[in-house]
């Protein structure tokens, strides 16, 4: 199983399907005339035949004009992690819808999504705090250096997109905007999904034994 997100490319034999999100083998139709009514409309406007790749998992077609994906028209960015909080996911989807046309706009939205994610993963963070202050709180509470760097890359890149500081030119380098989606998913995976998995396993321990562990940890904390 391939856990790395592989963006759709017209000539690739396998990538993450923009319809179902699965990494799957793609069947190529290089001179397909029409696949659907929607495709027919595109072909008429473009005055050319178009190509398609058919997902072996969901059996839905990704349609291309040259190397540009036109159906679905939303994005080549990965789908959000299933455990992403809904208010964060809403912004993620909005960014995903526009990233192909406006990498800078998508980056600004992802920065806002990160801001809201900070509030979700730590109760000490408040909407009154600036995002830099929120990351500082997370670092104080044990955020790893790897995650801190991921947080700050999204923050700095997003700030640059909003204020046009010229530090990182996302508009001229859309690959950076695409990478931010993966970074946000990485943060959710490490801070929410993995914790959820461990909590599920830990709760299999009988309650009386968990209570003894809790008392043990309190005794260690009091020594410090």
């Amino acid at each position: 199983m391939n856990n790395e997100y592989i963006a759709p490319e017209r000539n690739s034999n396998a990538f993450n399907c923009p319809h179902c999100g699965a990494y799957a083998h793609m069947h190529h139709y290089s001179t397909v005339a029409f696949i659907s009514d929607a495709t027919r409309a595109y072909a008429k406007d473009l005055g050319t035949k178009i190509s398609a790749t058919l997902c072996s998992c969901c059996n839905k077609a990704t349609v291309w004009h040259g190397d540009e994906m036109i159906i679905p028209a939303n994005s080549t960015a990965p789908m959000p992690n299933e455990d992403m909080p809904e208010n964060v996911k809403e912004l993620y989807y909005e960014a995903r819808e526009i990233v192909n046309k406006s990498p800078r706009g998508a980056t600004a939205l992802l920065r806002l999504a990160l801001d809201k994610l900070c509030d979700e993963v730590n109760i000490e963070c408040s909407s009154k705090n600036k995002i830099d202050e929120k990351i500082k709180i997370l670092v104080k509470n044990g955020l790893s250096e790897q995650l801190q760097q991921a947080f700050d890359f999204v923050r700095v890149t997003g700030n640059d997109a909003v204020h046009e500081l010229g530090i990182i030119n996302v508009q001229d380098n859309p690959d950076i905007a695409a990478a931010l989606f993966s970074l946000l998913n990485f943060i959710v995976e490490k801070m929410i999904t993995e914790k959820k998995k461990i909590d599920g396993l830990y709760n299999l321990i009988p309650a009386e034994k968990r209570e003894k562990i809790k008392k043990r940890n309190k005794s260690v904390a009091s020594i410090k």
Side-chain angles (χ1 to χ4, degrees):
M1 182 177 178
N2 194 323
N3 292 320
E4 180 185 358
Y5 176 77
I6 306 298
E9 289 188 14
R10 183 175 65 87
N11 292 320
S12 177
N13 289 323
F15 51 74
N16 286 86
C17 174
H19 294 284
C20 68
Y23 178 78
H25 176 74
M26 298 292 160
H27 303 286
H28 291 268
Y29 298 89
S30 58
T31 57
V32 65
F34 306 109
I35 297 243
S36 67
D37 288 341
T39 306
R40 194 183 303 273
Y42 272 114
K44 183 178 179 181
D45 291 341
L46 297 171
T48 182
K49 289 184 178 180
I50 50 183
S51 61
T53 46
L54 196 68
C55 176
S56 60
C57 182
C58 69
N59 207 37
K60 290 184 178 179
T62 300
V63 184
W64 308 83
H65 175 232
D67 290 332
E68 181 185 358
M69 186 175 75
I70 57 175
I71 298 177
N74 54 359
S75 183
T76 56
M79 297 294 284
N81 184 301
E82 291 181 1
D83 294 319
M84 187 176 289
E86 287 303 316
N87 61 337
V88 179
K89 193 180 290 185
E90 183 179 349
L91 290 165
Y92 185 102
Y93 275 125
E94 189 177 346
R96 195 172 180 273
E97 289 288 332
I98 68 169
V99 66
N100 289 353
K101 296 184 182 299
S102 177
R104 187 169 59 196
T107 299
L109 284 168
L110 291 174
R111 177 206 173 279
L112 181 56
L114 182 75
D115 197 346
K116 291 185 179 296
L117 182 60
C118 288
D119 299 339
E120 294 289 339
V121 297
N122 194 305
I123 58 174
E124 290 184 37
C125 294
S126 164
S127 57
K128 296 178 181 178
N129 297 123
K130 293 181 178 179
I131 189 169
D132 189 47
E133 295 169 340
K134 293 178 183 182
I135 295 173
K136 182 179 179 180
I137 292 170
L138 291 170
V139 170
K140 183 188 72 173
N141 289 336
L143 187 72
S144 71
E145 182 179 3
Q146 186 183 40
L147 279 171
Q148 169 262 306
Q149 290 175 352
F151 269 90
D152 278 319
F153 187 79
V154 179
R155 176 185 67 84
V156 171
T157 308
N159 284 344
D160 188 58
V162 172
H163 303 296
E164 298 185 16
L165 302 176
I167 300 170
I168 303 173
N169 194 329
V170 178
Q171 201 66 24
D172 289 343
N173 193 349
D175 288 344
I176 293 176
L180 295 180
F181 290 93
S182 295
L183 278 180
L184 208 62
N185 275 332
F186 171 76
I187 292 168
V188 172
E189 173 71 25
K190 292 296 180 183
M191 301 195 74
I192 298 178
T193 303
E194 289 188 0
K195 182 180 184 304
K196 183 179 173 182
K197 289 177 182 176
I198 293 171
D199 286 347
L201 291 172
Y202 187 74
N203 286 332
L204 295 176
I205 299 174
E208 63 272 15
K209 291 187 179 295
R210 278 187 275 127
E211 190 58 34
K212 288 181 180 179
I213 294 171
K214 188 177 179 181
K215 289 179 180 178
R216 178 204 66 193
N217 292 347
K218 281 186 177 179
S219 67
V220 172
S222 63
I223 294 173
K224 290 180 180 179

